[in-house]
Amino acid sequence: MNSPLPSEPSLTICKEYYEKHLEQEVNKRITPKYCLVFAVPLRFQLPFKNETLFFTTFDNQATAFIFDKYETPQHEAIFPGSALNLPEFRTRVEAIYFLPECGELASIINTENERSHLLQYSFLSHLLNRLNNYINAYRMMFEDCKAFPVSPEQYFYIFSRVYDVTDWKTLMSGPVITSSNPFNYEHIMFNVQDKALHVIEGLGMYVDQKQNKFVAASQFFAESRRYLYTGHPRETIVFLGMCSESLLNGLFHHIRMVDGLTELEINTEFDEIPFMRRIKNHISHSLGGSWDMSKGASIIGQWKKNVYDLRNRVVHAGYFPHHYEAANAFQTIVNFSEFIRERVDAKKNLFPDAFNELEALPAFFVQGVGESTFDIS
């Protein structure tokens, strides 16, 4: 949504800059009516000289990206009152869309509603996808571990402005709320209660001292949450895939132990039996319940579609998922893990070690605080 800022920021793109650097090239392809600008502050610096310009045209549109370096203060402190003000180097990108007469864009000028927000969000997403192509090209060429792809969900808002290119009059200017993240950070922004601290201490000691087959799955799940919150859908999907495979492999290990196999024999089976065959031939038969992956509405069918297949598209086909796909996969893993726990609980007399190990760890959850039955007393 747009609303005026206390003071209007100055952008590099303006009438003079456009006429000097862009007008001739833009006019070769389109007759522009609107210039839509998003000022995107990267949380890292691309070492491009100020006013570096990347430009391309396609169909009846054109995009441009102007890069500028700047410093922002960073406060490093170990103790209160001892903060060091250190400059942190960043890059701001003006991501720009040039469009011809566009009724859809004209209809949202100075409006604040869901339709306006969704249209601006779609323009921003497209521009950031193109920006990521440049960021990834830079990362492939240079040894820079601080740069990373960006997405709207990494920001609470991004400043935007719309110009009428015919006279460079500002038609709309202000922040666009970009975070469509459905999770609320405020749920964790409080002092942890003493009871929970007791559990954290005990759980930390347990993880350190016990060989729980499901710990890795819980850690991968926590990593996927971090990537989802910070707007990295591809990494979210990869870690959710690792989470579910680790969870199922832990079950397979427990099942084959009950079947009488040794550790060496189980490790050999991990090498020889494909992942999906472990599920179909061993896990589903041992735990019971509905494991028909062809039923799209079932929990296992949803897991295969939303997590397993999507992870394979990301890893093997280079697919870049949308944020909503990552959020959907995250919810799917929570549902899938609940299904797993229910099946193990139903078979706890057969698989007591698997049951006890799952009970020792917090259940996966979407939002809030995960409860654990573990107690160090």
Side-chain angles (χ1 to χ4, degrees):
M1 305 294 181
N2 287 92
S3 59
L5 289 176
S7 60
E8 287 292 287
S10 175
L11 298 176
T12 300
I13 185 66
C14 60
K15 182 176 185 294
E16 292 73 19
Y17 185 94
Y18 173 75
E19 291 175 347
K20 181 178 180 180
H21 298 285
L22 287 166
E23 183 175 26
Q24 185 176 356
E25 292 299 321
V26 172
N27 287 337
K28 287 180 181 179
R29 297 295 299 270
I30 65 173
T31 301
K33 169 63 176 177
Y34 298 109
C35 172
L36 173 60
V37 189
F38 295 97
V40 183
L42 304 182
R43 294 189 172 94
F44 51 88
Q45 184 179 95
L46 293 173
F48 304 162
K49 65 181 181 181
N50 286 345
E51 296 192 10
T52 292
L53 172 65
F54 293 162
F55 171 77
T56 186
T57 58
F58 57 98
D59 298 331
N60 63 338
Q61 300 167 358
T63 60
F65 298 87
I66 305 172
F67 299 82
D68 285 297
K69 298 192 293 290
Y70 70 99
E71 293 183 9
T72 186
Q74 180 184 17
H75 303 286
E76 291 286 344
I78 298 176
F79 301 104
S82 64
L84 297 175
N85 287 329
L86 302 173
E88 185 168 333
F89 300 99
R90 303 281 186 87
T91 290
R92 187 188 74 237
V93 183
E94 293 181 17
I96 305 166
Y97 237 131
F98 292 102
L99 301 99
E101 187 66 53
C102 175
E104 194 173 24
L105 181 59
S107 68
I108 68 165
I109 298 298
N110 292 324
T111 61
E112 295 189 12
N113 53 40
E114 183 178 5
R115 179 170 170 271
S116 171
H117 176 266
L118 290 176
L119 183 60
Q120 292 179 78
Y121 183 90
S122 68
F123 281 125
L124 174 62
S125 296
H126 181 84
L127 285 169
L128 292 189
N129 285 338
R130 288 184 168 269
L131 174 60
N132 284 335
N133 291 333
Y134 299 130
I135 293 173
N136 286 326
Y138 164 74
R139 295 170 72 206
M140 287 186 280
M141 293 178 62
F142 292 91
E143 185 181 0
D144 188 337
C145 61
K146 293 186 177 181
F148 53 83
V150 294
S151 69
E153 288 74 26
Q154 293 172 16
Y155 303 91
F156 177 67
Y157 76 90
I158 288 178
F159 177 82
S160 77
R161 184 174 292 168
V162 179
Y163 293 105
D164 184 334
V165 179
T166 58
D167 57 8
W168 282 90
K169 177 183 177 181
T170 298
L171 301 177
M172 185 165 61
S173 183
V176 177
I177 305 301
T178 56
S179 179
S180 58
N181 198 323
F183 306 101
N184 187 348
Y185 288 97
E186 293 181 1
H187 280 281
I188 60 173
M189 297 302 180
F190 55 77
N191 287 331
V192 174
Q193 296 178 355
D194 290 343
K195 179 181 177 181
L197 288 173
H198 185 70
V199 174
I200 291 169
E201 181 185 14
L203 185 57
M205 293 169 57
Y206 173 82
V207 169
D208 180 61
Q209 298 173 13
K210 302 295 183 180
Q211 298 297 315
N212 186 315
K213 298 297 181 185
F214 304 111
V215 165
S218 294
Q219 293 171 338
F220 293 148
F221 179 75
E223 282 297 300
S224 72
R225 182 191 301 279
R226 181 172 72 90
Y227 281 118
L228 179 63
Y229 277 24
T230 54
H232 295 86
R234 181 168 54 183
E235 290 80 359
T236 302
I237 296 299
V238 170
F239 271 94
L240 288 173
M242 293 164 62
C243 168
S244 61
E245 291 190 23
S246 181
L247 181 63
L248 290 165
N249 285 339
L251 285 173
F252 178 78
H253 187 281
H254 280 294
I255 289 168
R256 299 307 276 157
M257 285 289 288
V258 171
D259 290 340
L261 273 66
T262 66
E263 287 284 348
L264 180 60
E265 290 171 329
I266 294 172
N267 290 335
T268 299
E269 287 198 340
F270 273 119
D271 292 334
E272 295 178 350
I273 302 177
F275 176 69
M276 294 303 285
R277 274 181 52 198
R278 294 174 214 155
I279 299 175
K280 294 177 181 179
N281 295 350
H282 296 282
I283 298 175
S284 61
H285 290 170
S286 298
L287 294 185
S290 176
W291 289 81
D292 187 351
M293 298 185 190
S294 65
K295 294 181 179 179
S298 68
I299 291 177
I300 189 70
Q302 288 291 300
W303 167 78
K304 183 177 184 299
K305 174 185 175 183
N306 297 338
V307 180
Y308 182 79
D309 290 344
L310 183 56
R311 177 264 179 197
N312 286 344
R313 289 179 65 194
V314 170
V315 173
H316 300 300
Y319 176 68
F320 199 100
H322 298 283
H323 183 77
Y324 74 84
E325 291 177 294
N328 191 30
F330 190 86
Q331 178 67 70
T332 298
I333 280 289
V334 172
N335 297 340
F336 180 67
S337 69
E338 291 173 352
F339 168 75
I340 294 294
R341 284 176 174 264
E342 289 170 1
R343 296 316 311 157
V344 173
D345 181 69
K347 300 287 185 176
K348 61 186 175 184
N349 291 334
L350 287 175
F351 307 106
D353 290 341
F355 173 79
N356 290 332
E357 288 190 7
L358 283 172
E359 282 293 293
L361 301 173
F364 296 171
F365 61 96
V366 172
Q367 187 175 12
V369 180
E371 295 295 335
S372 173
T373 58
F374 191 81
D375 193 339
I376 65 172
S377 58

